[in-house]
Amino acid sequence: MLTSRTERRSVKQNSIDRSKQWRDRFRKQCEERVLTERRNIVDRRRQDNLWQRVIQDEWEMFKKIHEQALQDEGIVDPDALFEDLSNIQEPPEDLDAESEYIHLHSAPILACVHCLGASLQPDGFGKLVCPKCTFRATEQTFVTIQNALARHGQQCPGRIGFAPEPGSDAILGLCDTCDEMEVF
């Protein structure tokens, strides 16, 4: 009888361990999300502060350069003009478009997660393909896989192997050490 209790306890212990692993995974995912959101908020604040600082610096330089001309025009308090311009809060839309263009064209090169031997190339149909092993998926899928690899690498020294799931567009990932499996 002691043997059966030991077996039951080990099964229960394994399920408790698995539950703990899932909770830890979820907690870690939440922590990453919070950190990402915090970074985004800080970046937005920095951008807003930068824009305001640039406007203030430009105004000070403008006043110094055009001080005599403003006095000749009869403007005694140039800062009163600046108060009328203070409603400029956001950069013009063309600066946003320029930032977006720079972001899109400075995207990091994605390496193939299947063969690790080549960088991915667009195939013209909205997917990225490896020229070496012909492994293909969307850019978002590859980014998701890279994020999963980074998370997994913090917990396990093993390597995740990837393969397309037969009969679907899904990609299976299986760790050779901890047997973690993910579907992308």
Side-chain angles (χ1 to χ4, degrees):
M1 279 204 185
L2 291 175
T3 310
S4 64
R5 283 188 173 197
T6 305
E7 289 176 19
R8 286 184 182 162
R9 184 175 291 151
S10 67
V11 169
K12 227 176 196 180
Q13 187 63 34
N14 285 339
S15 68
I16 291 171
D17 289 343
R18 287 186 190 134
S19 295
K20 185 179 181 206
Q21 288 175 347
W22 283 108
R23 272 194 311 270
D24 290 344
R25 255 189 218 163
F26 179 72
R27 182 182 47 78
K28 191 157 201 86
Q29 184 177 346
C30 290
E31 287 172 357
E32 288 174 6
R33 176 75 185 269
V34 167
L35 289 174
T36 302
E37 288 300 317
R38 284 181 182 164
R39 272 189 238 121
N40 291 341
I41 289 169
V42 168
D43 288 345
R44 274 188 245 126
R45 286 182 182 162
R46 284 182 183 153
Q47 182 66 27
D48 290 344
N49 290 340
L50 174 67
W51 181 248
Q52 291 169 357
R53 196 170 54 242
V54 166
I55 289 176
Q56 186 66 36
D57 291 345
E58 285 296 318
W59 178 247
E60 293 300 322
M61 195 166 39
F62 180 85
K63 281 192 322 187
K64 286 179 184 174
I65 292 171
H66 298 3
E67 184 177 4
Q68 187 60 41
L70 290 170
Q71 286 177 356
D72 291 345
E73 291 287 328
I75 299 173
V76 179
D77 186 16
D79 289 324
L81 286 174
F82 183 70
E83 289 174 10
D84 292 339
L85 297 174
S86 65
N87 62 358
I88 301 174
Q89 301 264 332
E90 297 179 8
E93 288 182 25
D94 58 342
L95 286 180
D96 289 339
E98 183 178 312
S99 299
E100 185 175 325
Y101 176 82
I102 289 170
H103 174 70
L104 289 175
H105 289 39
S106 65
I109 296 173
L110 295 175
C112 179
V113 294
H114 183 64
C115 71
L116 303 173
S119 60
L120 302 170
Q121 306 295 321
D123 69 352
F125 298 104
K127 292 193 175 191
L128 298 174
V129 64
C130 175
K132 187 174 180 183
C133 70
T134 67
F135 192 74
R136 65 179 67 233
T138 63
E139 182 177 357
Q140 181 60 39
T141 301
F142 279 111
V143 170
T144 304
I145 289 172
Q146 286 182 333
N147 291 339
L149 283 171
R151 278 193 312 271
H152 181 261
Q154 294 173 349
Q155 300 171 3
C156 175
R159 182 183 180 281
I160 296 181
F162 295 94
E165 182 178 9
S168 77
D169 288 339
I171 297 172
L172 296 176
L174 180 63
C175 177
D176 59 2
T177 303
C178 69
D179 293 330
E180 177 180 337
M181 183 178 94
E182 290 196 44
V183 180
F184 301 96

